[in-house]
Amino acid sequence: MKADLRQTAKGDRHVIDINDYLSYPGNRDEWQKLKPHPDDGLILCGDVGEKAEHLDLAFSVAKSNFKEVWWCPGNHELYSMPLKTAARGEDKYKEYADIARRHGVHTPEDPFVHWDEVIVAPIFTLYDYSFRPSHLTSTAAAIAWAEETNTVAADEALLFPDPHPSREAWCSSLVAATATKLDFTIAASPETPLILVNHWPLRQDLVFIPRIARFSIWCGTTLTEDWHTRFNAAVVISGHLHVPRTDWRDGVRFEEVSLGYPREWNEVKDAGKDRPQEPVATQWRRWG
């Protein structure tokens, strides 16, 4: 796990962010090795797990080791499993947001929190298939294009938009509501930079997944392309791509913080790309 921790220094405290996936025993074992950071905060950037017990484990361990914890949902938290009985769409999201609140974890539904010199803003925007080539003018065409390379997200079978008519409509609603909340936040604290936290990347040009390049259509929405400047972001954090990396746009730092599946972070470790054992200054873009 130490290979994928990223730290954003704020005074004498830190916000530590990570994307985890507790469906896997290896990840659960590593998660329970977390050590106390009583003055620090932890960001859980989505895809923590697919079952309520995964969220309970993540939040209980996180809250026992960190002063503050923030969470935003990823697509895996929104999966309806088993299909016939699980909550769908907004109800599934609210179910997991309620679990977070029971543990004292901040969610996109809660007021944003001032943390030293910044405001930590977890958000939830989903995607609308607009991260696609310009010649593809519809969702159906974009999905067909992805299928040409045998690329189809499990979302198509497991992630429902209820009560919205489509994922695109749900995304549009989420983006509008989130923009209103962020506008209000900036108006109330115009000099305070934000740490924007979203599972999906806010910009299409940050989607770097060469092995499954056409998966990009499930990776975000162009409606958020300028949010890093529009909402005075100091750092933008996402956790969807499974390619940990650092990028800069318009002077704003973007962090993709996925821990991913055990085989992925073990590849990093085995390649000698993980963080050294001895104390060193933070080094960005160590992998990806």
Side-chain angles (χ1 to χ4, degrees):
M1 179 166 295
K2 59 183 177 293
D4 293 275
L5 287 175
R6 303 281 195 230
Q7 297 190 351
T8 304
K10 297 297 168 191
D12 294 328
R13 298 187 291 174
H14 295 80
V15 176
I16 300 176
D17 43 69
I18 193 166
N19 164 274
D20 204 353
Y21 189 27
L22 297 181
S23 295
Y24 289 81
N27 281 359
R28 290 198 297 273
D29 292 344
E30 291 298 316
W31 186 248
Q32 293 179 89
K33 295 177 185 177
L34 279 177
K35 297 180 180 179
H37 297 261
D39 296 321
D40 293 340
L42 179 70
I43 290 170
L44 299 172
C45 208
D47 281 4
V48 172
E50 296 170 343
K51 298 180 180 179
E53 52 263 39
H54 299 152
L55 277 292
D56 273 318
L57 173 62
F59 297 150
S60 63
V61 172
K63 283 295 291 183
S64 67
N65 284 284
F66 290 85
K67 185 173 184 177
E68 298 287 354
V69 180
W70 293 265
W71 166 81
C72 59
N75 51 311
H76 283 266
E77 279 100 341
L78 302 175
Y79 285 175
S80 296
M81 298 188 301
L83 281 173
K84 292 183 178 180
T85 59
R88 294 189 175 201
E90 285 188 354
D91 287 343
K92 183 63 185 291
Y93 167 52
K94 291 176 181 177
E95 176 186 321
Y96 282 0
D98 286 344
I99 293 174
R101 288 198 187 96
R102 290 201 298 270
H103 287 276
V105 171
H106 305 289
T107 80
E109 303 307 302
D110 303 317
F112 296 145
V113 175
H114 285 258
W115 181 265
D116 285 346
E117 304 298 325
V118 299
I119 297 171
V120 183
I123 62 176
F124 169 33
T125 62
L126 202 59
Y127 55 86
D128 61 3
Y129 304 90
S130 58
F131 283 7
R132 63 184 186 237
S134 59
H135 70 279
L136 300 173
T137 58
S138 69
T139 295
I143 293 174
W145 171 75
E147 288 176 339
E148 290 174 1
T149 58
N150 297 316
T151 303
V152 180
D155 298 25
E156 295 300 313
L158 299 174
L159 198 163
F160 298 90
D162 306 35
H164 303 276
S166 65
R167 298 180 191 90
E168 301 97 302
W170 191 10
C171 173
S172 178
S173 176
L174 288 166
V175 167
T178 302
T180 298
K181 185 177 181 181
L182 290 169
D183 277 329
F184 178 83
T185 301
I186 293 299
S189 301
E191 302 302 320
T192 307
L194 270 62
I195 296 180
L196 280 178
V197 181
N198 192 43
H199 179 67
W200 293 271
L202 297 187
R203 293 178 57 90
Q204 185 174 3
D205 61 4
L206 297 176
V207 178
F208 176 74
I209 41 175
R211 293 181 182 178
I212 48 169
R214 298 191 183 189
F215 188 78
S216 63
I217 63 173
W218 291 279
C219 290
T221 170
T222 55
L223 296 172
T224 61
E225 199 84 0
D226 67 345
W227 279 20
H228 62 298
T229 53
R230 176 180 170 185
F231 297 120
N232 191 30
V235 184
V236 180
I237 300 169
S238 62
H240 184 56
L241 301 181
H242 294 225
V243 184
R245 58 183 290 152
T246 302
D247 289 282
W248 294 83
R249 296 291 185 275
D250 304 306
V252 178
R253 195 174 88 230
F254 288 78
E255 290 294 336
E256 156 60 52
V257 299
S258 307
L259 175 62
Y261 308 117
R263 62 175 173 79
E264 291 172 328
W265 54 264
N266 274 321
E267 285 176 1
V268 177
K269 183 177 179 180
D270 293 344
K273 298 290 186 178
D274 58 329
R275 191 177 300 281
Q277 296 295 320
E278 67 276 7
V280 295
T282 302
Q283 299 179 44
W284 304 109
R285 195 187 284 277
R286 293 191 59 80
W287 185 255

